[in-house]
């Protein structure tokens, strides 16, 4: 059985179990190694933080020291919130549908970020670091047993909250920056529309939204025997049988996201896409359910939507 099929079958089975999130975490930790903070994992998180900050500096009007940020998808490691803290943001809220954070994963993230700073590797991602905040991070890393997860978050001006993003409990015009990384592709279209409506409500009129979307078949991250377009060959009905609630993939293509923004009246300031591989795309018989898009649009593999 191909690796991707095996993972699909296992995650489909896990989705029916009690405590499925914990079971999936153990599966990814010990079998697929999908939750390890590898150099590659750390690198793309640092790149995301760098890019969100760059877009904010380009389009935002409030200095970071007075700015508020909302992140969708806290995930396993608070990499992006930590860099926003070091950049000077006054309030950082990170929301998820479940609590993935632990003190060990917090500490590992801080240790890796501090190591990158001390070796001069953080500068390409964050060229201006608040020295006082850097020292606060060092203090936590030196004696992590003194603090609970909640206390650490408070020191980092981070509110890590479990919340349904379709029903945010924030006031209108609350945030200067709203961002996400590799999250939109895991949200089904009807839910994503409701999330974007809420984001439109809570972002300030002068605020910035920066969302990085991975349009690739995530099973290809594990299985080199398939391309990142493998999942485009299936009908919606077939994909519903393969897909799972643990790590769903909506299979939307870039024009679908752009159309959603337009229909919701969210103006797009900038699109920054990776074109992907037309050669790889042509190895897959794309099912008509995906949409009648030109190959260049179907092939887009990743992109930033900035509004």
């Amino acid at each position: 059985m191909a690796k991707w099929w095996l993972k699909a079958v296992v995650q489909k089975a896990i989705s029916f179990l009690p405590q499925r999130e914990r079971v999936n975490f153990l599966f990814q930790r010990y079998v697929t190694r999908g939750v390890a903070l590898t150099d590659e994992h750390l690198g793309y998180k640092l790149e995301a933080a760098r890019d969100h900050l760059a877009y904010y500096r380009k389009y935002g009007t409030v200095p970071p020291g007075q700015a508020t940020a909302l992140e969708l998808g806290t995930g396993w490691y608070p990499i992006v919130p930590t860099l926003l803290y070091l950049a000077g943001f006054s309030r950082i809220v990170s929301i998820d549908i479940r609590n993935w954070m632990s003190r060990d994963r917090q500490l590992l993230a801080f240790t890796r970020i501090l190591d990158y700073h001390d070796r001069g590797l953080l500068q390409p991602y964050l060229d201006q670091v608040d020295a006082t905040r850097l020292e606060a991070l060092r203090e936590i890393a030196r004696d992590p047993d003194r603090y609970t997860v909640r206390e650490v978050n408070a020191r980092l001006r981070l509110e890590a909250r479990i919340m349904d993003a379709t029903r945010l409990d924030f006031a209108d015009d609350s945030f200067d920056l709203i961002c996400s990384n590799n999250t939109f592709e895991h949200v089904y279209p009807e839910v994503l529309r409701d999330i974007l409506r809420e984001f439109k409500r809570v972002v300030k009129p002068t605020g910035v939204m920066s969302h990085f979307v991975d349009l690739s078949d995530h099973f290809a991250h594990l299985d080199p025997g398939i391309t990142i377009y493998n999942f485009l060959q299936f009908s919606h009905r077939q994909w519903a049988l393969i897909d799972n609630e643990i790590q769903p993939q909506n299979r939307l293509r870039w024009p679908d996201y752009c159309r959603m923004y337009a229909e919701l009246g969210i103006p797009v300031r900038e699109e920054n896409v990776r074109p992907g591989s037309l050669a790889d795309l042509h190895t897959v018989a794309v099912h008509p359910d995906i949409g009648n898009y030109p190959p260049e649009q179907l092939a887009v593999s990743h992109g930033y939507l900035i509004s």
Side-chain angles (χ1 to χ4, degrees), residues 130-257:
D130 185 301
T132 301
R133 294 187 174 195
L134 183 69
E135 182 53 35
L137 200 63
R138 290 193 193 279
E139 183 181 335
I140 294 169
R142 281 195 295 264
D143 192 6
D145 293 338
R146 288 180 54 192
Y147 310 97
T148 66
V149 170
R150 187 181 297 273
E151 289 169 341
V152 169
N153 288 341
R155 294 205 65 183
L156 268 61
R157 305 197 180 191
L158 169 62
E159 301 168 35
R161 301 180 60 179
I162 308 305
M163 186 181 297
D164 180 353
T166 67
R167 293 189 294 273
L168 299 175
D169 63 3
F170 307 114
D172 295 358
D173 306 334
S174 291
F175 295 99
D176 298 288
L177 170 65
I178 300 179
C179 63
S180 69
N181 326 287
N182 301 79
T183 302
F184 277 13
E185 67 267 22
H186 298 300
V187 184
Y188 294 130
E190 60 276 10
V191 178
L192 184 56
R193 285 178 180 275
D194 290 340
I195 291 174
L196 285 170
R197 286 190 185 96
E198 280 292 85
F199 284 174
K200 182 181 178 183
R201 179 181 68 81
V202 301
V203 72
K204 294 180 181 178
T206 57
V208 178
M209 288 206 295
S210 173
H211 298 289
F212 180 68
V213 189
D214 181 349
L215 291 83
S216 69
D217 184 339
H218 286 22
F219 289 126
H221 302 172
L222 172 74
D223 190 344
I226 61 173
T227 75
I228 64 171
Y229 308 107
N230 183 66
F231 61 1
L232 299 182
Q233 67 183 290
F234 302 105
S235 69
H236 290 329
R237 177 174 293 184
Q238 290 171 324
W239 185 247
L241 296 174
I242 298 169
D243 199 22
N244 64 81
E245 295 182 11
I246 296 294
Q247 193 178 35
Q249 300 180 66
N250 61 33
R251 302 194 300 163
L252 294 177
R253 310 320 296 160
W254 193 253
D256 298 321
Y257 290 105

Side-chain angles (χ1 to χ4, degrees), residues 77-98:
Y77 303 99
I79 305 294
V80 172
T82 302
L83 260 68
L84 294 177
Y85 168 73
L86 292 176
F89 273 68
S90 63
R91 180 193 181 198
I92 305 149
V93 180
S94 187
I95 63 173
D96 213 317
I97 56 174
R98 296 176 186 89

Side-chain angles (χ1 to χ4, degrees), residues 29-44:
R29 181 175 183 179
Y30 295 110
V31 180
T32 67
R33 309 292 181 181
V35 299
L37 188 55
T38 61
D39 287 341
E40 180 181 9
H41 188 162
L42 176 62
Y44 85 71

Side-chain angles (χ1 to χ4, degrees), residues 259-273:
R259 184 182 306 109
M260 192 177 297
Y261 270 60
E263 290 172 353
L264 293 171
I266 301 174
V268 175
R269 287 172 161 138
E270 187 171 338
E271 300 174 39
N272 188 348
V273 301

